[in-house]
């Protein structure tokens, strides 16, 4: 079953709104024409969403946020709601990134609440999972993925799963320059798809986009994306430079 390649740039806490606006303009020029072969999303900080929204969306690029609140509105200082994101043209939202799990105490139960809230509001979540180096070396990668997939997707229906993307991001490969080999990544993706199949049925599992994330760059995107269960990428560092990110996308096609 053909799953359309989906590559998202996660800019993390980088770029002012002005820098983001200039970079998106450049990216749109560099990526013109790839829209029928791949979906591309940019996920800037909240503060840049408004500034880049119309340029990105009019070029067919999807706009993503890096987090959202699991509450609708009210006295939650510092939080950003789904409705606020929708109002800016956001369609995708990253939830459960390992940096949120590691530095802000997000666990599977918070991740599933956020994903469910996103879906109920009309946003599409990109749910991140992945093992640490310690866990991989202890041979518990599959156990960790089983727990994270079951906990982070708890309460999500099969129908909503079709609007949900999974990002497999081994923590040891994020921002370290250490990429999982295509085979290591493929094995984890195939395992995640088997978990989805057990939970949602094979037809649904075959339709879910599973992105790989962790030191993806222009020089390795082709071999990673060539693997049968790798349907795209969630890219951090290498998405910051428009020319490098455009090359990464084009090499993956
Ligand atoms: P990286 O980050 O590409 O810089 O390794 C990936 C991510 O954290 O999404």
């Amino acid at each position: 079953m053909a799953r359309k390649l989906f590559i998202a740039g996660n800019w993390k806490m980088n770029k002012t709104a002005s820098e983001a606006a200039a970079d998106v303009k450049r990216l749109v020029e560099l990526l013109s024409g790839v829209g029928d072969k791949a979906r591309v999303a940019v996920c800037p900080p909240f503060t840049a969403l408004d500034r880049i929204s119309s340029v990105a969306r009019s070029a067919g690029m999807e706009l993503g946020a890096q987090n959202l609140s699991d509450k609708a509105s009210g006295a939650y200082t510092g939080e950003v709601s789904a409705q606020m994101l929708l109002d800016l043209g956001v369609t995708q939202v990253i939830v459960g990134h390992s940096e949120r799990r590691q530095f802000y105490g997000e666990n599977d139960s918070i991740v599933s609440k956020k994903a469910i809230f996103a879906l109920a509001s009309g946003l599409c979540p990109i749910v991140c999972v992945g093992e640490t180096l310690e866990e991989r070396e202890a041979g518990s990668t599959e156990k960790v993925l089983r727990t994270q997939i079951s906990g982070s997707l708890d309460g999500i229906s099969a129908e909503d799963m079709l609007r949900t993307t999974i990002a497999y991001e081994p923590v040891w490969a994020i921002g370290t320059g250490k990429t999982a080999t295509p085979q290591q990544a493929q094995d984890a993706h195939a395992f995640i798809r088997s978990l989805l199949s057990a939970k949602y049925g094979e037809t649904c599992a075959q339709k879910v986009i599973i992105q790989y994330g962790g030191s993806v760059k222009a020089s390795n995107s082709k071999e990673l994306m060539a693997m049968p269960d790798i349907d795209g990428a969630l890219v951090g560092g290498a998405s910051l430079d428009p020319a490098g990110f455009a090359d990464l996308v084009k090499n993956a096609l």
Side-chain angles (χ1 to χ4, degrees):
M1 165 147 343
R3 294 178 291 266
K4 193 169 181 180
L5 197 68
F6 179 29
I7 300 182
N10 170 14
W11 289 353
K12 307 191 179 182
M13 196 173 72
N14 293 291
K15 299 184 199 285
T16 62
S18 313
E19 288 165 347
D23 284 353
V24 159
K25 195 164 164 275
R26 182 90 187 101
L27 194 59
V28 161
E29 288 161 10
L30 291 164
L31 285 178
S32 82
V34 309
D36 40 345
K37 297 189 207 106
R39 294 166 56 204
V40 176
V42 279
C43 309
F46 290 131
T47 45
L49 286 166
D50 195 26
R51 281 282 282 281
I52 71 166
S53 181
S54 65
V55 173
R57 290 188 302 137
S58 58
M61 211 171 268
E62 297 176 43
L63 190 62
Q66 299 173 17
N67 187 22
L68 87 166
S69 172
D70 62 349
K71 310 282 194 303
S73 67
Y76 301 103
T77 301
E79 290 292 283
V80 172
S81 77
Q83 218 49 50
M84 294 168 186
L85 297 176
L86 286 163
D87 182 57
L88 299 181
V90 170
T91 53
Q92 302 285 329
V93 60
I94 300 170
V95 294
H97 189 280
S98 65
E99 288 148 15
R100 302 290 320 166
R101 293 177 187 259
Q102 189 183 342
F103 303 128
Y104 301 96
E106 293 194 6
N107 55 27
D108 289 331
S109 138
I110 296 175
V111 174
S112 85
K113 267 196 206 144
K114 289 188 172 189
I116 289 169
F117 203 84
L119 286 159
S121 311
L123 290 164
C124 300
I126 299 176
V127 177
C128 304
V129 295
E131 80 287 359
T132 63
L133 184 58
E134 235 176 13
E135 291 163 341
R136 174 162 285 264
E137 285 176 345
S140 43
T141 298
E142 292 196 347
K143 185 168 161 264
V144 170
L145 292 178
R146 184 178 288 112
T147 305
Q148 289 182 342
I149 288 287
S150 134
S152 301
L153 303 181
D154 190 29
I156 296 181
S157 66
E159 198 189 338
D160 277 346
M161 203 52 224
L162 298 175
R163 294 195 290 125
T164 301
T165 297
I166 304 288
Y168 167 63
E169 301 204 302
V171 179
W172 49 272
I174 296 178
T176 59
K178 275 189 211 148
T179 319
T181 64
Q183 194 56 53
Q184 279 174 323
Q186 164 60 25
D187 290 349
H189 282 231
F191 180 68
I192 290 169
R193 205 176 300 285
S194 78
L195 296 173
L196 296 177
S197 176
K199 191 170 160 76
Y200 296 107
E202 187 59 12
T203 311
C204 175
Q206 285 300 327
K207 290 182 181 161
V208 175
I209 300 290
I210 308 179
Q211 296 174 324
Y212 169 77
S215 298
V216 180
K217 39 191 184 267
S219 59
N220 62 19
S221 62
K222 188 184 175 71
E223 49 178 20
L224 284 162
M225 301 309 120
M227 301 310 278
D229 286 292
I230 303 182
D231 313 315
L234 182 57
V235 185
S239 70
L240 294 174
D241 168 50
F245 187 52
D247 283 346
L248 182 158
V249 172
K250 287 180 187 160
N251 290 350
L253 300 178

